[in-house]
Amino acid sequence: GVRVGGVRALPAPGPRPGTGPPPSAVATAPSGRPTPPAGGSSSGSPSRTPSKPTTVGPAGSPIALSGAQSLDPPPAGDNNEHPDEAARAIDGDPATFWRSRTYKNPKIPGKPGIGFAVTLAQPGTVKAVTLHVNGAGGNVEIRATDPSTPMTGAVLAQGAFGPDVTFTFAQPVQSQSIVLWITELPQTADGSNRIELAEVLVS
């Protein structure tokens, strides 16, 4: 019986060399280990970068405008300063413009002035108005008031027109409409007394 037991015992060491292959399998584990950290860091950095562009734009970025209208209030005016062209001054296309009628005198005798109003898509804080005009000179008063009462309210800024003029207010104002009240017309390149307002930008 002892011999049988011995025979049985002998095969036992045989399988032991067969346990040699597992160590080589374990050796592959270290090569697999660096992969998760590398994947973690690479997936982490892209997720951080997109959050940067979503920050709010620069302080001077334009405010969305929902409407525009020319103002030629009675009794001196007849509401006929090309009202159908008003939207051209807020369409983002500098090639199109709103124009007033042409006057012999840039100071528009017999009228307190003519106006142009823009309506903001929603009430907001306005601190500057940029005007792109085909011409130069004249005088404009800028107010944060209702288009129906264009000559009321404080004059926030005023000055001459030009191809690219920005009027910055001393103090920002809360408003949903901005009125440009023109007391003296600029001159176009050919010397005509009228305003050709290509774009109004409110910021």
Side-chain angles (χ1 to χ4, degrees), residues 34-48:
T35 328
S41 61
S42 63
S43 68
S45 51
S47 67
R48 278 186 212 113

Side-chain angles (χ1 to χ4, degrees), residues 97-114:
F97 53 85
W98 165 76
R99 64 201 161 103
S100 70
R101 288 176 287 191
T102 304
Y103 289 80
K104 289 178 183 174
N105 188 322
K107 292 189 183 294
I108 325 174
K111 286 189 183 185
I114 60 173

Side-chain angles (χ1 to χ4, degrees), residues 27-55:
T28 59
S31 67
R33 229 174 263 144
T35 328
S41 61
S42 63
S43 68
S45 51
S47 67
R48 278 186 212 113
T49 33
S51 62
K52 284 173 192 160
T54 56
T55 54

Side-chain angles (χ1 to χ4, degrees), residues 94-166:
T96 63
F97 53 85
W98 165 76
R99 64 201 161 103
S100 70
R101 288 176 287 191
T102 304
Y103 289 80
K104 289 178 183 174
N105 188 322
K107 292 189 183 294
I108 325 174
K111 286 189 183 185
I114 60 173
F116 190 87
V118 292
T119 305
L120 281 57
Q122 56 187 22
T125 303
V126 181
K127 48 188 172 298
V129 173
T130 300
L131 304 178
H132 295 274
V133 171
N134 301 329
N139 185 68
V140 60
E141 300 171 350
I142 300 177
R143 294 180 171 93
T145 187
D146 190 271
S148 64
T149 53
M151 290 177 285
T152 62
V155 175
L156 303 171
Q158 66 176 326
F161 292 100
D164 182 8
V165 182
T166 298

Side-chain angles (χ1 to χ4, degrees), residues 13-22:
R16 269 183 205 147
T19 60

